[in-house]
Amino acid sequence: MLVAYAAQRGIFTPALRIAAAGLLGLAAVGAGEALRRGLATKGSPNLLVAALVTAAGAATLYAASWAAYSLYNFIPLELAAGLLAAVSLGLLVLSLLHGQALGLLAVAAAYLVPVVSGGAHWANGPLDAYILLILVTGFAATGLRGWGWVGALTLAGGWIWGLSRDFIPFDQVGVSLLAVTAAVLALAAVVLARRRAVDASDKPRLLAALPPADIVASSLLVLITWFHSGATAPIYAAATTAALALTVAAGVRLRRLTPAWLAAPAAIAVLANAAPERAA
C-alpha cells in the first residue's frame, strides 16, 4: 500500500523505478552467489534456490533495461540492445557456476534479444557478430561442462537465425559465417568435453549427436543460398560447402564423425547442379 501510494503521489519517478529495479536485480544476482557458496545458509549451499534467485535477478535486469528504452525512452536502442546482450551473456557465464538449467535460460534469452529490441533496426554486421558470439559462448559452455541440452539449444537457435538471414533480408556473408562457425564449434565442443571427461554428467548420445546434426543443418542453410538470384550467392555457397566438407574430414580424423556424413555437403553440390539455371 505504501509503494502504491508513493507511486500515485509521484514520489517514485520513472527514473527512480528503473534505478530501483536495477539495484534489486544486482542484489538478487549477489544473493544467488551467496546462496551458491553457502554464505547465507551456514555453509550448506542450496543450488536450486541459488539458481532461481540468480535467474530472477537477471530477469529483473533484463526488464529494467528494456523498460528504460521502450517505456520511458531514457536510453537509445543501441544501448538497450547492448545491456540486454550483456545480461544474457553474463547469465550464460554464471550458468557455469549454477548449472545447465540456467545455461538454457541464458541461451534462450540471448537469442531473443534482437527480437525484443527490434530486429529490423539491427544492421547485418552487428547482428551476425552477435549471433556468432552466442554460438561461441553457448558451445564453450557445452564443451566445458558437457551440457548436451545447452549445445542442442545453441545449435537450434543458430539454425533459426541462419534461416532468417537466408530470407529477411538475404545476407549471404552472414549465412556462410553462421553455417561454418556452428559446424566447427559443435565439433570442437564435443572434442573438448570428451578430453575433459565431463560428458558423463549429461546424456552422452545427445552430446555426440551435435556434430552430425550441425553438419545437416548447415548444409540445408547453404543449399538455400545456392538458389538465391544474386550473382555471388553460388560463390559463397560453394566456398561454404567446401568448408563443411573439411569440417567433416576433421571430425572423421578426430573420431567424432563417420565418413558417411560427407554425403551432406556432397548432396548440396549435386542438388545445385541439378538446377543450374536457378543457381546461375
Side-chain angles (χ1 to χ4, degrees):
M1 291 177 62
L2 288 175
V3 171
Y5 176 77
Q8 291 173 1
R9 300 296 297 178
I11 299 175
F12 280 170
T13 63
L16 183 58
R17 296 171 200 168
I18 296 298
L23 291 175
L24 178 62
L26 292 174
V29 172
E33 180 61 16
L35 289 169
R36 187 187 70 83
R37 296 186 178 187
L39 300 179
T41 54
K42 299 181 180 181
S44 301
N46 191 320
L47 300 182
L48 177 59
V49 175
L52 291 174
V53 171
T54 300
T60 303
L61 292 172
Y62 197 90
S65 301
W66 182 239
Y69 161 70
S70 64
L71 294 182
Y72 303 118
N73 296 316
F74 287 155
I75 58 177
L77 173 63
E78 294 78 10
L79 180 56
L83 290 173
L84 293 174
V87 172
S88 299
L89 297 177
L91 187 61
L92 186 57
V93 174
L94 287 174
S95 71
L96 297 176
L97 301 175
H98 289 274
Q100 183 169 207
L102 202 61
L104 290 169
L105 175 63
V107 171
Y111 276 130
L112 288 175
V113 165
V115 178
V116 300
S117 62
H121 300 288
W122 288 61
N124 285 346
L127 181 57
D128 294 337
Y130 177 68
I131 300 302
L132 289 173
L133 179 60
I134 299 176
L135 290 175
V136 170
T137 53
F139 281 123
T142 301
L144 291 172
R145 291 292 185 268
W147 289 341
W149 288 113
V150 169
L153 183 59
T154 302
L155 168 59
W159 186 82
I160 292 173
W161 270 108
L163 190 62
S164 73
R165 309 310 292 149
D166 241 332
F167 289 103
I168 48 172
F170 176 46
D171 178 17
Q172 58 192 11
V173 176
V175 172
S176 299
L177 287 175
L178 290 174
V180 175
T181 303
V184 172
L185 290 178
L187 178 61
V190 174
V191 171
L192 178 61
R194 294 284 186 174
R195 290 184 177 179
R196 289 173 56 87
V198 295
D199 57 319
S201 63
D202 200 354
K203 296 182 181 295
R205 291 184 179 179
L206 178 60
L207 197 64
L210 291 179
D214 203 302
I215 292 296
V216 173
S218 296
S219 298
L220 289 174
L221 290 178
V222 179
L223 181 61
I224 296 172
T225 304
W226 268 105
F227 295 102
H228 274 283
S229 58
T232 58
I235 298 175
Y236 279 95
T240 308
T241 301
L244 291 177
L246 290 175
T247 303
V248 174
V252 173
R253 178 75 175 178
L254 294 169
R255 298 181 179 179
R256 300 276 74 88
L257 289 169
T258 62
W261 290 108
L262 281 170
I268 299 174
V270 172
L271 293 175
N273 287 325
E277 70 281 357
R278 294 185 64 187

